[in-house]
Amino acid sequence: MNYAPAADRNKEAIWAALSGYLPSSQRVLEVASGSGQHALYFMQQNPKMTWQCTELSESRDALQINLNTLSNVEFPKVQSLDVMNATHVTLVSELAPFDCVYSANSLHIMSWSACLAFIQLTSKVLTTDGVCAVYGPFFYTDQPVVDSNLAFDAWLKERNPESGVRMFDEVVSAFKEQGLAFVFDHEMPVNNRLLVFRKA
């Protein structure tokens, strides 16, 4: 059973910020659900939500096992989603609309082209006034670079030159081009952030 210790460490802080954008009954699409630990915890806090998990095809079954084994609420079937796969995008889009799109620790793993594809999908599936929340580290042009984030960025690029910690301004601009306005930048533990955008 896959397990991410960091997901347990940050889930409460993320929920404290994210929950303010989620009324009691919301439909949420999570892109790159990983082990499902965030989905499991968030649904414990608000079981009236419908939380749609997604993962790459090779990781989907492990995620489904986690949800089936550890959850006392019903989740929709996990969907395969590679944002660069047109078939996946079409099938997930057919499940829309969603009130929220959430993704943690994904933008720095994806290529920039995949980041843009993720944002395009977000704009496509969100309701008007729906929100997108993305969690992870970001670089800022007007703030000193945190050493741990710099080291993490170097490690990411060694594994895949197309990945890396994203620039805040570039992310905001990309969302804006798809009709999603920047709402708030929440400070999170261990030099991470939760960026929130809203569809006009």
Side-chain angles (χ1 to χ4, degrees), residues 168-200:
F168 170 82
D169 290 344
E170 293 179 0
V171 171
V172 170
S173 177
F175 271 96
K176 183 178 180 181
E177 289 180 5
Q178 294 298 321
L180 287 104
F182 172 67
V183 176
F184 204 81
D185 179 357
H186 294 270
E187 185 175 357
M188 293 282 114
V190 200
N191 301 311
N192 287 294
R193 319 292 296 194
L194 184 73
L195 307 184
V196 180
F197 303 86
R198 188 178 299 278
K199 183 177 177 179

Side-chain angles (χ1 to χ4, degrees), residues 6-196:
D8 271 346
R9 291 194 297 267
N10 62 33
K11 63 187 181 183
E12 293 183 7
I14 295 174
W15 180 248
L18 180 63
S19 60
Y21 301 95
L22 297 176
S24 59
S25 57
Q26 294 275 294
R27 300 191 73 240
V28 182
L29 173 67
E30 182 177 9
V31 176
S33 301
S35 62
Q37 287 162 251
H38 282 172
L40 289 162
Y41 178 75
F42 298 162
M43 282 293 289
Q44 287 175 355
Q45 310 311 305
N46 184 359
K48 293 183 179 180
M49 294 188 298
T50 299
W51 195 281
Q52 177 64 64
C53 291
T54 67
E55 250 306 334
L56 298 174
S57 295
E58 58 268 27
S59 303
R60 184 187 62 182
D61 290 346
L63 170 59
Q64 188 71 68
I65 290 170
N66 279 11
L67 297 179
N68 292 347
T69 304
L70 301 175
S71 177
N72 57 4
V73 298
E74 185 175 352
F75 280 86
K77 182 180 178 181
V78 176
Q79 297 294 312
S80 293
L81 179 59
D82 175 345
V83 294
M84 300 295 282
N85 182 311
T87 300
H88 289 182
V89 168
T90 296
L91 291 173
V92 169
S93 297
E94 290 175 353
L95 302 175
F98 292 95
D99 304 295
C100 175
V101 174
Y102 169 76
S103 193
N105 292 319
S106 59
L107 296 190
H108 55 263
I109 302 296
M110 299 177 184
S111 66
W112 183 242
S113 294
C115 290
L116 296 178
F118 160 74
I119 296 169
Q120 289 172 353
L121 172 62
T122 295
S123 179
K124 184 176 182 179
V125 302
L126 273 180
T127 60
T128 300
D129 290 331
V131 298
C132 176
V134 290
Y135 170 89
F138 296 92
F139 287 145
Y140 297 80
T141 56
D142 59 348
Q143 298 180 21
V145 177
V146 178
D147 289 343
S148 61
N149 284 351
L150 194 62
F152 182 50
D153 180 65
W155 179 79
L156 289 167
K157 286 182 168 62
E158 284 180 7
R159 295 172 69 247
N160 180 358
E162 293 190 2
S163 65
V165 176
R166 302 301 170 192
M167 295 296 301
F168 170 82
D169 290 344
E170 293 179 0
V171 171
V172 170
S173 177
F175 271 96
K176 183 178 180 181
E177 289 180 5
Q178 294 298 321
L180 287 104
F182 172 67
V183 176
F184 204 81
D185 179 357
H186 294 270
E187 185 175 357
M188 293 282 114
V190 200
N191 301 311
N192 287 294
R193 319 292 296 194
L194 184 73
L195 307 184
V196 180

